[in-house]
Amino acid sequence: MEVKIFIATHKKFNYKPLEGYYPIQVGAEISKENFGYLLDNINSNISSKNKNYCELTAYYWIWKNVNADIVGLCHYRRYLSKKNNLKWKYILTTQDIENDLRKYDIILPAPNTWKGYSCYDFYIQAEGKEKDLIATRDIIKDKYPEYIESFDYILNGNTASYCNVMISTKKLFDTYCEWLFSILFELEKNIDITNYTIAEARVYGYISELLLNVWVYHNQLKIKYYHLINTENPNSFVK
């Protein structure tokens, strides 16, 4: 099977070559630099939306342009690891991924659990505006009413996987992207982000983190969880 895991980055980073992993420069269309990686502005793309869609410009590019049996996304400093002692040898290999997806539907980071907050509350406290969550819910209620109970369940709960890091078959990934972007493109028409801060303007990227959990929960996918490790933490990551 062909496995392609893309490493989203907006800057040059200390890339360690790993079989089946490919760095992709996100926001290439609006960047003055070219780091020599894959670019998210080739062929069908939404690269110019990167400041608002974050790593989802890589999602879109993978959806529209990649042929492989299994695809996924991690970040230049965030990888999925089999153990929490943070050595390179524990980062998921293509063989690990193939083996897991014979038994599971999707691979995700171990979920975060917020103490004293729901996912809804945490979004408002840490990332964005309540009106955007309300607008998202309205769109789902209109376009995908069968998902509304799942949306409420995830948002009112306090546990979710974050960072848009995921791995699945390309077929499942495509199905998810079709659902996801139909919601986000509609949301883009319905909210005004003109006066948002830089962080608030990442609204579509942030909301998608929650929507991935909604979609996975609603479709009752079998999940394999792994540690999400940060390679830029010099005190914990061993090369």
Side-chain angles (χ1 to χ4, degrees):
M1 299 185 79
E2 187 175 23
V3 179
K4 291 187 174 182
I5 310 302
F6 296 89
I7 309 166
T9 186
H10 58 87
K11 66 179 185 178
K12 192 81 173 176
F13 72 108
N14 186 21
Y15 169 56
K16 182 178 178 64
L18 299 168
E19 180 186 357
Y21 284 75
Y22 305 89
I24 180 168
Q25 182 178 340
V26 294
E29 184 69 17
I30 53 176
S31 175
K32 296 178 180 178
E33 300 181 88
N34 184 324
F35 307 126
Y37 306 143
L38 290 170
L39 302 174
D40 73 344
N41 66 339
I42 304 300
N43 300 321
S44 182
N45 70 88
I46 58 167
S47 179
S48 63
K49 295 178 183 286
N50 180 257
K51 289 182 179 179
N52 310 122
Y53 278 75
C54 310
E55 62 278 338
L56 292 186
T57 60
Y59 261 53
Y60 189 93
W61 188 87
I62 296 165
W63 175 31
K64 295 296 185 180
N65 300 292
V66 172
N67 250 337
D69 300 295
I70 295 169
V71 297
L73 189 80
C74 61
H75 299 177
Y76 69 94
R77 67 175 184 263
R78 297 188 185 103
Y79 291 77
L80 292 170
S81 173
K82 295 183 287 259
K83 293 193 177 182
N84 206 25
N85 63 4
L86 312 184
K87 293 182 180 179
W88 277 108
K89 67 181 180 179
Y90 294 123
I91 289 174
L92 289 194
T93 66
T94 56
Q95 191 60 59
D96 294 327
I97 291 165
E98 286 185 46
N99 291 341
D100 282 340
L101 291 181
R102 291 189 183 100
K103 297 175 285 186
Y104 299 91
D105 299 310
I106 193 167
I107 300 170
L108 294 175
N112 287 27
T113 298
W114 308 118
K115 294 182 178 180
Y117 290 96
S118 66
C119 292
Y120 189 98
D121 294 333
F122 184 79
Y123 177 87
I124 298 166
Q125 291 286 332
E127 295 170 338
K129 296 182 179 292
E130 183 175 20
K131 71 180 184 63
D132 299 337
L133 289 179
I134 293 171
T136 302
R137 188 183 188 279
D138 288 343
I139 290 165
I140 291 174
K141 189 174 181 181
D142 179 57
K143 292 178 71 71
Y144 302 104
E146 68 276 18
Y147 277 83
I148 202 66
E149 287 186 12
S150 298
F151 180 88
D152 290 342
Y153 177 84
I154 294 297
L155 273 289
N156 292 329
N158 67 344
T159 300
S161 294
Y162 284 86
C163 297
N164 284 318
V165 172
M166 64 93 83
I167 302 171
S168 71
T169 63
K170 181 59 160 55
K171 182 178 180 181
L172 194 66
F173 183 85
D174 289 353
T175 301
Y176 171 59
C177 283
E178 185 172 356
W179 179 85
L180 173 68
F181 286 105
S182 71
I183 294 168
L184 296 182
F185 290 161
E186 188 66 24
L187 182 62
E188 199 173 350
K189 299 175 189 174
N190 283 271
I191 63 174
D192 180 4
I193 65 171
T194 304
N195 297 315
Y196 280 23
T197 66
I198 291 173
E200 290 169 346
R202 296 175 184 145
V203 53
Y204 311 111
Y206 289 147
I207 283 179
S208 68
E209 293 180 285
L210 295 169
L211 292 183
L212 176 57
N213 291 271
V214 172
W215 185 77
V216 168
Y217 174 77
H218 179 82
N219 290 288
Q220 294 296 289
L221 300 184
K222 292 180 68 177
I223 308 164
K224 177 65 175 178
Y225 290 115
Y226 283 105
H227 302 285
L228 187 63
I229 56 110
N230 188 332
T231 64
E232 291 189 342
N233 184 342
N235 297 318
S236 58
F237 192 82
V238 181
K239 292 184 180 179

